[in-house]
Amino acid sequence: MQIPPKFEQDIRQKHTNLVPAVYIHTYGVGSSPDIYMSTNSLDLPFHSGSQAHWRPILLNVPSLKESIDIEKRNYKISSVNIDISNAPYDGTRFSELVNNTSLINEECRIYWISPSVTNIPEQPNAAPLDDSAFQVYFGVIRRYEHDDEKVKLVVEDRSQAKLHIDLPHNTLE
C-alpha cells in the first residue's frame, strides 16, 4: 500500500481530521449508477476529472474484521460492515438509488479523506497522486439488507476469489 504524500503529511499533524468515503461501482446492463457516500457532504472528483457528489448518508465509520488462527491454519476473510441511512436525501432513499438491481458482487472501495485530499484514485492498485485519498479497502458486497430506516452492507475482501480452490482438482475415471 502506498500512502499519498499529502495524506501522510496530514496524518502526521498533531490534530487530524479524517472522513470516510465509500464508493460502490456498479456493473451490468440496467444497473443503477455508481454510488458515492460519506459521513459528510463532499464534492470530490476522480483522477480523470469526473465529478462525484458524496452523499452524507453513512451512519458509522466502516470497521474492518480479519482473523487468522495459526494453530488450526484457518484464515477468515476480512469483512466490513457498512451502515447507511435509508432516510430520504435530496428526495431519494438509498434503497431507491439501487432500484430493483442487486448490489451483490458489486465492487466497494473505502477511502480516508484528509483536508489536503483533492481527488479520488480510479483504479484500485494504481499509484496514488500526491493529493489523492487513501484507499484502505477494496472488496465486493456479499450481503445487502434494508428496512425503511437503515441499510446494512457486508463487504468481503477480494482475497476469497484468489484463495478458494474447488476440490477435487482432478478426477479419475
Side-chain angles (χ1 to χ4, degrees):
M1 286 179 128
Q2 284 184 308
I3 298 178
K6 288 189 177 180
F7 180 86
E8 187 172 11
Q9 249 176 8
D10 286 345
I11 61 174
R12 289 183 186 268
Q13 302 296 321
K14 187 174 184 178
H15 301 284
T16 59
N17 181 19
L18 299 178
V19 175
V22 175
Y23 165 50
I24 299 174
H25 184 67
T26 57
Y27 292 99
V29 178
S31 66
S32 58
D34 292 348
I35 300 168
Y36 314 100
M37 55 195 152
S38 179
T39 53
N40 299 12
S41 180
L42 305 167
D43 287 310
L44 201 58
F46 284 90
H47 284 171
S48 66
S50 60
Q51 284 294 329
H53 175 68
W54 301 76
R55 303 161 67 92
I57 57 175
L58 274 183
L59 294 176
N60 63 355
V61 176
S63 60
L64 176 67
K65 296 178 190 170
E66 185 172 22
S67 66
I68 298 174
D69 185 347
I70 296 172
E71 289 178 15
K72 295 181 182 177
R73 298 180 184 171
N74 288 338
Y75 169 70
K76 185 175 178 184
I77 302 298
S78 65
S79 65
V80 174
N81 295 323
I82 301 173
D83 293 327
I84 304 162
S85 171
N86 204 21
Y89 176 78
D90 284 344
T92 309
R93 293 177 182 268
F94 180 85
S95 56
E96 293 168 352
L97 282 176
V98 176
N99 279 335
N100 294 328
T101 59
S102 173
L103 287 179
I104 305 300
N105 293 327
E106 298 291 2
E107 273 184 17
C108 182
R109 300 180 195 164
I110 301 173
Y111 300 94
W112 280 113
I113 298 173
S114 67
S116 298
V117 167
T118 60
N119 63 65
I120 302 288
E122 291 188 71
Q123 299 299 323
N125 297 323
L129 298 177
D130 285 353
D131 55 353
S132 296
F134 180 51
Q135 181 177 307
V136 293
Y137 194 80
F138 180 47
V140 292
I141 298 172
R142 292 295 180 209
R143 211 169 315 139
Y144 168 71
E145 302 168 357
H146 74 89
D147 58 28
D148 59 335
E149 294 177 9
K150 187 175 171 181
V151 175
K152 182 179 180 180
L153 300 178
V154 176
V155 183
E156 280 187 0
D157 189 344
R158 297 196 71 159
S159 63
Q160 180 166 350
K162 294 182 180 154
L163 295 177
H164 178 74
I165 298 173
D166 288 330
L167 295 175
H169 229 346
N170 297 326
T171 55
L172 300 175
E173 294 182 20

